[in-house]
Amino acid sequence: MTDLFGMRVWRQNFTVCGFVAALALAALGLVYPKTGFAQTAPKITIGAPSKGVVKASDTVTYTVTYSGVDTVTLKNSDVTLDRSLTAGGPTASSIAVSGSGITNGSATRTVTLSGFSGNGTLGIKIASGSAKMGTALASAAIATGKITVDTVPPTFTIKPPTVVNVRSASSVSYAVTYAGAANVSLSDATKSKVTLTPTGNAAASVSVAVTGPSTRTITLSSFTGNGTLTLALAADTATDAAGNSADTSALQPVASILPTLVVDNTPPGISVSSPSTANAKSSSSVTYTVTYSGASQITLQPSNVTVTKPQGASANVSVSGSGTTTRTVTLSGFKGNGDFGISIAPGTARDLAGNLADAPASPSGTFTVDTLVPVITVSSPSLANAKSDSTVTYTVSYFGTDNITLATSDISLKPSGTATAAVEVSGSGTASRTITLSRFTGNGRIGLAIKAGTGSDVAGNLTPAVTTIVPVNVDTTDPVVTVAPPSILNARASSSVTFRVSFSGASTVNLTGQDVALDSTGTATAIATVTGTGLSSRTVTLTSLGGDGTVAIRIPAGVAVDLAGNPPRQSRALLSRLIQRPRPSRSARLPHHRPRQPLRSALR
């Protein structure tokens, strides 16, 4: 036996024709060299992987090429993973061999890897004996082309905006930074990959700016409606070399990573209460309660408050309170008269979104300021002079009052001398009262004083005290009338008898002849006349005497009075004797037998 062209042949069987035939058949692949020929092991080649970088879901194939084979027995178990390049490296859960047939001593098979896990470099190894030529077995083979397994998707971080409460004029940005991405597709052209999940009717415009190879800025603006917005990104905004899409699982649920935006286009509400009182005076303090709703900050200051007032009037303004609900506006130090109110400028409060409060929808209620003190006047007494049984009244008039509380306890008497009197108050309404003095005693003068505050207006202004009141003169002593004895105690018909009537303490003397009463006895008669002026005396003259008897004159009480109206007591004077007889002749004159009566006069 000898070797020929790599085939072993037996010399004893060798013939030229047989040898040539064997070569031809072997060249055509129709027959295989027989045992008697020399044999060479098949050649095995492992091609490059179909993908150099793969992700977990990829499928990668290797093409295994055999030459010089007559049998290929490659099966799944002949293929193992070469993980020697990465400690604890990646793996594939599935290895599948496909393909069949041999053509002209050559054959190909496909090894398919799938179900990748882990990360690192991976290859395949094929055990020896996966093919043969005759009895010559193919040697083991290791793929030189390696696979980089990358099952980690690109990551990204989102820096949220610093504010979460927004309004129409707001603009907020999210800074997106990718790591491990070979391609970032997020741009303004693909902003549809940014989704906003709303509540209510909130909405916003989205724009994306490319700020670097692996950074983007998402801006939300033009907010409308009210509610919330939650931002999310689609998974395919970036991929790595293996084709892994950016992992969005870290954003699920989004609210745990990114804050929810609160869209608020409603400004804080504001309302103003009615004034604390409807009427005020100069020293009053009037308050308004300003109530806010939906405010996170209140900035109300006195400069934000305008006092509506009559021309020339004024008031001081102060603001008090804390928190985010109410403030108290206080007006004080009023000057002028009329209706006062307040108005509040817009912008005195803001909410978390920055919306500013409008001015109140309606003006405040008004109150009336009255700084005028009500007027009180007291008339002169109804009598300038009073006697014991007089009744003297004063009229107390009020102007600008709405309530009168005058009582006797508000009145003090200011007497002089020994004068006293009783005091009463009468009347109703808001215009006047009557003070009555009565039951006078003593002599002198009585004045009055009224304390302050006996009348008030609706603003609380009080009437002042009245200390200057015309006093009344009190005179409880009667005038004195004195009648002097007659000028003649015994009179004849031709006589003229006079009486001097003196007055003391009288302010008026009205004595006339008709006032003189004659009290006579017997048949005595006379005619009385009165002469004189002034307040001190009068002369009563009796003439035309007649008859026989006595005549007395009586001065009645009403002929004189003092200033208080006190009349004098009645006074009387008596002419002792009036003798009326014819004169006898001389010869007939005889001594009168009746003894002459002594001349008498009486003053009563």
Side-chain angles (χ1 to χ4, degrees):
M1 183 177 64
T2 185
D3 290 327
L4 180 66
F5 303 112
M7 295 179 292
R8 305 181 78 184
V9 296
W10 297 97
R11 291 194 183 108
Q12 62 267 34
N13 296 330
F14 180 79
T15 64
V16 174
C17 292
F19 177 68
V20 172
L23 288 177
L25 292 174
L28 295 173
L30 297 177
V31 298
Y32 297 102
K34 301 299 182 183
T35 304
F37 291 93
Q39 295 178 335
T40 301
K43 182 178 180 181
I44 180 172
T45 304
I46 302 174
S50 59
K51 288 185 178 180
V53 181
V54 297
K55 58 183 184 293
S57 60
D58 282 344
T59 297
V60 177
T61 61
Y62 282 90
T63 299
V64 180
T65 303
Y66 292 93
S67 60
V69 295
D70 59 9
T71 302
V72 177
T73 60
L74 181 65
K75 56 185 179 297
N76 295 349
S77 58
D78 295 328
V79 181
T80 58
L81 299 176
D82 180 10
R83 303 173 62 195
S84 62
L85 298 178
T86 303
T91 187
S93 62
S94 175
I95 301 174
V97 176
S98 61
S100 62
I102 299 173
T103 303
N104 297 325
S106 297
T108 61
R109 296 293 185 267
T110 300
V111 177
T112 302
L113 304 182
S114 62
F116 295 100
S117 62
N119 294 277
T121 303
L122 184 68
I124 63 172
K125 296 185 294 182
I126 298 177
S128 62
S130 63
K132 64 182 178 177
M133 171 61 79
T135 60
L137 300 177
S139 301
I142 298 176
T144 58
K146 304 301 180 181
I147 303 169
T148 299
V149 179
D150 182 2
T151 61
V152 178
T155 60
F156 61 87
T157 58
I158 300 180
K159 182 180 180 182
T162 56
V163 296
V164 296
N165 294 276
V166 294
R167 57 192 177 102
S168 60
S170 300
S171 177
V172 296
S173 296
Y174 297 79
V176 184
T177 301
Y178 293 89
N183 176 53
V184 177
S185 61
L186 182 62
S187 67
D188 201 52
T190 60
K191 62 185 178 182
S192 61
K193 296 181 180 182
V194 179
T195 59
L196 297 177
T197 302
T199 64
N201 61 345
S205 296
V206 179
S207 63
V208 177
V210 177
T211 54
S214 59
T215 58
R216 299 292 186 268
T217 297
I218 301 171
T219 300
L220 305 184
S221 60
S222 301
F223 294 93
T224 60
N226 294 278
T228 63
L229 291 174
T230 303
L231 181 142
L233 288 179
D236 59 350
T237 57
T239 56
D240 59 15
N244 293 297
S245 293
D247 183 10
T248 60
S249 62
L251 293 178
Q252 305 299 327
V254 175
S256 66
I257 303 299
L258 296 179
T260 297
L261 294 181
V262 178
V263 181
D264 180 3
N265 282 303
T266 302
I270 178 174
S271 62
V272 181
S273 72
S274 299
S276 57
T277 182
N279 297 276
K281 56 184 178 179
S282 58
S283 60
S284 298
S285 291
V286 180
T287 60
Y288 288 88
T289 299
V290 183
T291 302
Y292 294 88
S293 61
S296 62
Q297 181 183 14
I298 297 176
T299 59
L300 180 63
Q301 300 294 325
S303 59
N304 303 131
V305 181
T306 299
V307 179
T308 57
K309 61 188 185 307
Q311 185 175 3
S314 64
N316 299 324
V317 180
S318 63
V319 176
S320 59
S322 60
T324 58
T325 303
T326 61
R327 290 294 185 271
T328 299
V329 176
T330 301
L331 304 185
S332 60
F334 297 100
K335 294 181 181 179
N337 297 277
D339 292 337
F340 282 63
I342 64 171
S343 61
I344 297 178
T348 59
R350 68 177 62 238
D351 58 20
L352 290 172
N355 296 297
L356 297 177
D358 296 325
S362 58
S364 73
T366 61
F367 59 95
T368 301
V369 174
D370 180 2
T371 62
L372 300 176
V373 176
V375 175
I376 179 173
T377 62
V378 182
S379 69
S380 296
S382 58
L383 296 175
N385 299 276
K387 55 183 180 174
S388 60
D389 60 350
S390 295
T391 297
V392 178
T393 60
Y394 289 86
T395 299
V396 184
S397 298
Y398 293 85
F399 302 92
T401 55
D402 297 283
N403 185 43
I404 297 175
T405 59
L406 181 64
T408 55
S409 59
D410 299 319
I411 301 168
S412 59
L413 297 181
K414 298 165 48 176
S416 64
T418 60
T420 64
V423 182
E424 294 180 356
V425 176
S426 60
S428 62
T430 59
S432 65
R433 292 291 185 272
T434 298
I435 298 175
T436 301
L437 302 183
S438 62
R439 300 194 296 277
F440 293 95
T441 63
N443 294 280
R445 303 175 74 188
I446 294 180
L448 302 177
I450 300 176
K451 72 179 184 180
T454 61
S456 61
D457 58 21
V458 292
N461 296 297
L462 301 176
T463 53
V466 182
T467 57
T468 303
I469 299 175
V470 176
V472 60
N473 297 309
V474 178
D475 183 359
T476 62
T477 301
D478 297 338
V480 176
V481 178
T482 304
V483 181
S487 57
I488 300 174
L489 295 179
N490 293 281
R492 295 191 297 268
S494 61
S495 298
S496 176
V497 181
T498 62
F499 295 84
R500 179 178 176 81
V501 181
S502 298
F503 297 90
S504 174
S507 61
T508 302
V509 176
N510 295 314
L511 183 62
T512 65
Q514 289 81 4
D515 297 323
V516 179
L518 297 179
D519 295 332
S520 59
T521 64
T523 60
T525 62
I527 297 174
T529 59
V530 176
T531 59
T533 59
L535 301 175
S536 60
S537 65
R538 291 291 186 273
T539 299
V540 177
T541 302
L542 298 183
T543 58
S544 302
L545 303 176
D548 186 11
T550 61
V551 177
I553 67 169
R554 180 163 39 87
I555 306 300
V559 298
V561 293
D562 60 17
L563 290 172
N566 295 298
R569 292 187 179 90
Q570 181 173 268
S571 299
R572 190 168 180 265
L574 175 67
L575 172 61
S576 293
R577 188 80 177 169
L578 174 62
I579 301 173
Q580 178 62 34
R581 291 176 182 170
R583 178 176 296 182
S585 61
R586 182 179 298 270
S587 60
R589 292 177 182 173
L590 298 174
H592 199 286
H593 298 288
R594 188 172 58 185
R596 182 180 298 271
Q597 297 292 328
L599 190 62
R600 295 179 295 131
S601 66
L603 178 62
R604 296 178 185 175

